[in-house]
Amino acid sequence: MADMTVNCTALEDGSLIGPKQVYESIYHWNTAVYVILALHAIPLWIISSMIISKLKSTCESELRVPLLFVTLVPPTLLIFFSIGIIIPSTGPFIQLLGDMTICIGMVEFVLLTTRLAGGSKILVQRCTDSKTGLPIAAPPFVCLAVVKQPIVTLRKLNIIQLLPVTLIFLKSALLIIKIFESATYEPGEEPLSVIARYLSIPIGLVGVYTYTIYLILVAQVMKESPTRTLGFVLLGFFVLSDATELFFLFLKGTKMLTCVPPALPLSSVEHLLKNCIKGFLTFAAGMPYLKICSGKIN
């Protein structure tokens, strides 16, 4: 049995934590995780490969590239989460790479549905014909429900379509900061990362808010297209990532999460569990998601 009296702080030395170290701490329990992960990941990767190979016959040429990126989101997430489970010390980078993948999928979904509608002008015309206003009471600002919905104009729509792109730049900046801190690792507090995290809150909030507005708008004026559902699944992936982060912050703050001697520090335990949760939920949502992607889109 592992010596449970080891000081958890002593394990946080920035060294690589891989399958060997995980086995030393939790033995064959992790082998079971690997087997279950493979049984879930391999079918999803095979199905997504089959869908991608048939894109030429299921959609028009102008929709092919954005649909390709949208289809690649679940299999790419599972690749990252699998790496995070096998090598837990890569967790901080995997988390940001996963978020970037979701953000790219969200931006490509906006492009896909805009082209599917016939362009931004046609989308605005559909809103005008159906008397659909701009849903500014989208979460998290539901308090704006008492305010009259403004008219959808081309300029407003363009702004809403563009702002989610800031999420990609935000996650890229956080990843660069994390790589820099890793290269100059010193045990203790990481002030640059903390400051960046606080600054990212308003930027991320605006990006998610405008994306949600666009989703609601598309759901109202493109009711005949099942493709609109993909956008809500992508939003769900993004919210899941943030919710998981908050949940583990609570677990660490209440000391309900701890290291597993002799080789697993607290940070690796955290990211191992995070990636297990995200990996299996990605599979659960990814299969119906891919079924929609496999349909004929024109």
Side-chain angles (χ1 to χ4, degrees):
M1 289 292 290
D3 180 11
M4 300 305 292
T5 62
V6 175
N7 185 0
C8 286
T9 307
L11 297 177
E12 297 282 355
D13 60 355
S15 59
L16 180 71
I17 305 296
K20 180 177 180 292
Q21 290 76 17
V22 175
Y23 177 78
E24 288 174 357
S25 292
I26 62 176
Y27 308 112
H28 282 297
W29 288 108
N30 207 48
T31 306
V33 172
Y34 291 161
V35 173
I36 297 170
L37 177 67
L39 291 174
H40 285 74
I42 293 173
L44 188 137
W45 289 333
I46 292 173
I47 292 170
S48 59
S49 299
M50 292 170 62
I51 293 171
I52 290 168
S53 66
K54 296 177 181 178
L55 281 182
K56 287 185 179 180
S57 60
T58 57
C59 69
E60 299 171 2
S61 57
E62 63 175 3
L63 303 176
R64 206 166 293 151
V65 173
L67 182 58
L68 171 64
F69 279 102
V70 169
T71 305
L72 281 172
V73 171
T76 304
L77 287 177
L78 260 182
I79 289 172
F80 287 141
F81 297 151
S82 298
I83 294 171
I85 292 171
I86 296 169
I87 312 174
S89 57
T90 62
F93 308 102
I94 294 299
Q95 181 172 333
L96 291 168
L97 287 169
D99 288 347
M100 282 179 62
T101 301
I102 297 168
C103 293
I104 291 171
M106 290 162 66
V107 170
E108 291 297 330
F109 170 80
V110 171
L111 181 60
L112 173 65
T113 47
T114 302
R115 291 182 178 178
L116 193 59
S120 297
K121 291 182 179 179
I122 301 297
L123 203 52
V124 172
Q125 187 60 48
R126 284 192 181 196
C127 293
T128 304
D129 294 342
S130 60
K131 297 181 180 179
T132 302
L134 200 64
I136 57 174
F141 298 111
V142 291
C143 57
L144 295 177
V146 296
V147 181
K148 184 180 178 182
Q149 291 186 341
I151 298 171
V152 180
T153 64
L154 185 59
R155 183 180 179 183
K156 291 174 185 175
L157 182 61
N158 287 338
I159 292 172
I160 289 170
Q161 291 171 326
L162 184 63
L163 282 176
V165 179
T166 58
L167 293 172
I168 299 176
F169 292 108
L170 172 63
K171 297 300 179 181
S172 300
L174 291 174
L175 180 61
I176 292 169
I177 290 171
K178 182 58 69 177
I179 292 172
F180 173 77
E181 286 181 342
S182 178
T184 58
Y185 177 80
E186 287 184 12
E189 194 174 355
E190 301 170 339
L192 186 60
S193 181
V194 172
I195 293 171
R197 239 180 263 127
Y198 282 121
L199 290 176
S200 70
I201 293 173
I203 301 173
L205 195 61
V206 170
V208 173
Y209 173 59
T210 52
Y211 176 76
T212 308
I213 289 176
Y214 179 81
L215 271 186
I216 296 172
L217 200 64
V218 166
Q220 290 176 341
V221 300
M222 295 178 64
K223 295 178 182 179
E224 74 285 353
S225 175
T227 310
R228 69 187 190 281
T229 309
L230 298 175
F232 288 101
V233 178
L234 290 169
L235 181 61
F237 282 145
F238 192 89
V239 172
L240 168 67
S241 180
D242 284 352
T244 307
E245 182 72 16
L246 290 173
F247 177 64
F248 277 88
L249 195 63
F250 166 75
L251 291 180
K252 288 192 296 181
T254 54
K255 308 297 182 184
M256 288 194 287
L257 191 68
T258 185
C259 64
V260 184
L264 274 183
L266 175 59
S267 59
S268 292
V269 173
E270 175 191 353
H271 288 291
L272 174 63
L273 294 176
K274 275 184 186 178
N275 287 313
C276 285
I277 293 170
K278 291 179 182 178
F280 293 122
L281 288 178
T282 298
F283 171 81
M287 296 304 282
Y289 178 96
L290 290 174
K291 182 173 177 59
I292 297 172
C293 292
S294 66
K296 198 169 183 64
I297 300 174
N298 290 303

